């Protein structure tokens, strides 16, 4: 919370001393005690604040936002996940939401508005102060995974013809407004707001008041374009031990500042979204505090697709019922071969998605994937086939069974890594998310081919197996 100094601890009785934070919050909200709510929230760690908000009912969450001042409500909103914050804001009136949203840091403000339905976002924007609305619209125009999409617009900038005394006076006069800025440097602008230098605050304090800022600034500082990708930003920060970097538009005008922490947070969010998508959580993020119908719909959209694809894969077995009846032991190896191949294919999926996210692989570079994954698939397939074939021989003492198992696993592993490497490229070419569609398609391919190889090869040498 934006609060300085200390506060008197709340008077808890024995029952509230052991109460969970959300239980205590519920009591304070029900009693309508805004004066007690703020100190209590301030006493919680950020993670505990988010947890407490997650456990409150939707009614309590809305009541809490109403009881707090907009700037304090914005601090609470800042501790919540993007999905939680968006859901909560959508339940507020446009006027209340606007009062809170315009108190958020610029980057979160744009992200939050971008997560809302267009109608809700427009209603909130129309109720925001003109400068904040203009700034939010400008940031929302950037792609999320670019410098413009993760930059902040809270920074200090001065003209190159100003003196040190002018800067110091501005800092003192606007101390209340600047206290929420994450300030490390001040930037110096020339004609048409073009970035010409950067000022270290230490140099300002140790320089005579009548000296011009142009004489103490670091000239021609490093900067990044507003369309720089988040992957390129990561590489930049890996190469430079900077806390932040100025962002300029195509005319070299300063438009914001990207912090290292913002890039790391953006990459973590992307990794989380990819993981959730690959795990079958499609659409927005899912938390257990969200409505049951919403969660069921999101999961069923994935599970319904999977059941259809699994039925298709299992239908291969019906073509070889006689073989399976004659050599029941094959049923033991069917899931082993399909699962082992699936694991190999998932490794290839992960590498393709990772390389595409880093810009190292384009969706049309099929032959590169075929060559690289094909050679690896042959090597791993033979190695795994030998191990499983040897185990089959030691168990049953039948060299033909061992040969069937060896060939099926070796060939299916090759097919799996080729499919796993290529499917994400094909899905990307179709403008879909590879993380969502790759896994079920790969599972279908590896199961169908695995079943077909085991049962087909066994049928060819059936008289040797019976």
């Amino acid at each position: 919370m934006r609060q300085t100094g200390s506060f008197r601890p709340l008077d808890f009785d024995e029952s509230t001393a052991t109460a969970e934070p959300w239980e205590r919050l519920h009591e304070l909200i029900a009693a309508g005690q805004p004066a007690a709510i703020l100190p209590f929230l301030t006493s919680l760690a950020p993670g505990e604040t988010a947890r407490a908000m997650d456990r409150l009912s939707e009614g309590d969450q809305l009541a809490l936002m109403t009881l707090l001042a907009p700037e304090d409500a914005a601090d609470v909103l800042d501790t919540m996940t993007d999905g939680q914050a968006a859901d909560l804001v959508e339940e507020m009136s446009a006027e209340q939401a606007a009062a809170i949203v315009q108190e958020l840091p610029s980057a979160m403000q744009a992200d939050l508005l971008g997560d809302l339905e267009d109608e809700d976002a427009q209603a909130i924007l129309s109720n925001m102060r003109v400068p904040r609305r203009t700034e939010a619209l400008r940031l929302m125009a950037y792609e999320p995974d670019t410098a413009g999409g993760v930059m902040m617009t809270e920074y200090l900038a001065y003209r190159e013809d100003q003196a040190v005394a002018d800067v110091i006076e501005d800092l003192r006069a606007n101390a209340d407004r600047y206290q929420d800025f994450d300030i490390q440097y001040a930037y110096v602008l020339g004609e048409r707001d073009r970035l010409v230098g950067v000022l270290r605050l230490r140099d300002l304090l140790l320089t005579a008041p009548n000296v011009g800022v142009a004489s103490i600034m670091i000239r021609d500082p490093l900067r990044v374009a507003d369309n720089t990708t988040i992957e390129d930003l990561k590489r930049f920060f890996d190469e430079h031990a900077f806390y932040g970097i100025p962002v300029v538009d195509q005319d070299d005008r300063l438009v914001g500042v990207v912090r290292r922490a913002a890039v790391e947070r953006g990459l973590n969010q992307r990794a989380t979204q990819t993981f959730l998508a690959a795990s079958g959580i499609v659409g927005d993020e899912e938390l257990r505090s969200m409505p049951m119908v919403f969660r069921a719909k999101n999961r069923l959209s994935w599970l319904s697709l999977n059941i259809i694809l699994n039925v298709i894969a299992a239908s291969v077995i019906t073509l070889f019922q006689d073989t399976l009846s004659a050599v029941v032991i094959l049923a033991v190896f069917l899931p082993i071969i399909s699962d082992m191949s699936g694991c190999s294919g998932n490794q290839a999926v992960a590498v393709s998605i990772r390389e595409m996210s880093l810009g190292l692989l384009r969706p049309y570079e099929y032959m590169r994937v075929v060559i690289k994954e094909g050679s690896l698939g042959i090597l791993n397939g033979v190695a795994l086939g030998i191990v499983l074939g040897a185990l089959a021989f030691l168990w049953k003492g039948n060299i033909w069974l061992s040969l069937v198992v060896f060939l099926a696993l070796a060939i299916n592993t090759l097919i799996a890594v080729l499919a796993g490497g290529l499917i994400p490229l094909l899905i990307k070419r179709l403008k879909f998310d590879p993380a969502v569609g790759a896994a079920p398609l790969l599972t279908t391919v590896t199961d169908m081919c695995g079943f077909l190889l085991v049962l087909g090869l066994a049928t060819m040498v059936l008289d040797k197996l019976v």
Side-chain angles (χ1 to χ4, degrees), residues 218-238:
I218 301 171
R219 294 183 176 276
D220 195 26
L222 292 175
R223 78 282 311 268
V224 295
D226 54 5
N227 60 355
T228 303
T229 66
I230 198 168
E231 292 82 15
D232 287 337
L233 288 171
K234 181 183 185 303
R235 283 190 283 271
F236 177 89
F237 282 114
D238 286 343

Side-chain angles (χ1 to χ4, degrees), residues 363 366 423-434 441:
Y366 304 121
I423 286 174
L425 276 67
L426 294 171
I427 295 175
K428 188 70 173 178
R429 289 291 296 272
L430 295 174
K431 309 297 184 184
F432 294 108
D433 184 358
L441 289 176

Side-chain angles (χ1 to χ4, degrees), residues 355 360-361 364-374:
E355 286 190 339
L360 304 178
L361 181 67
Y364 53 80
E365 293 183 296
Y366 304 121
M367 286 309 300
R368 172 178 171 79
V369 173
V370 169
I371 293 171
K372 294 291 186 178
E373 289 295 341

Side-chain angles (χ1 to χ4, degrees), residues 4 17 145 163 203 308 316 339 364 375 389 403 424 438:
T4 58
D145 290 340
D203 293 339
I308 294 172
V316 173
D339 286 350
Y364 53 80
S375 56
L403 183 61

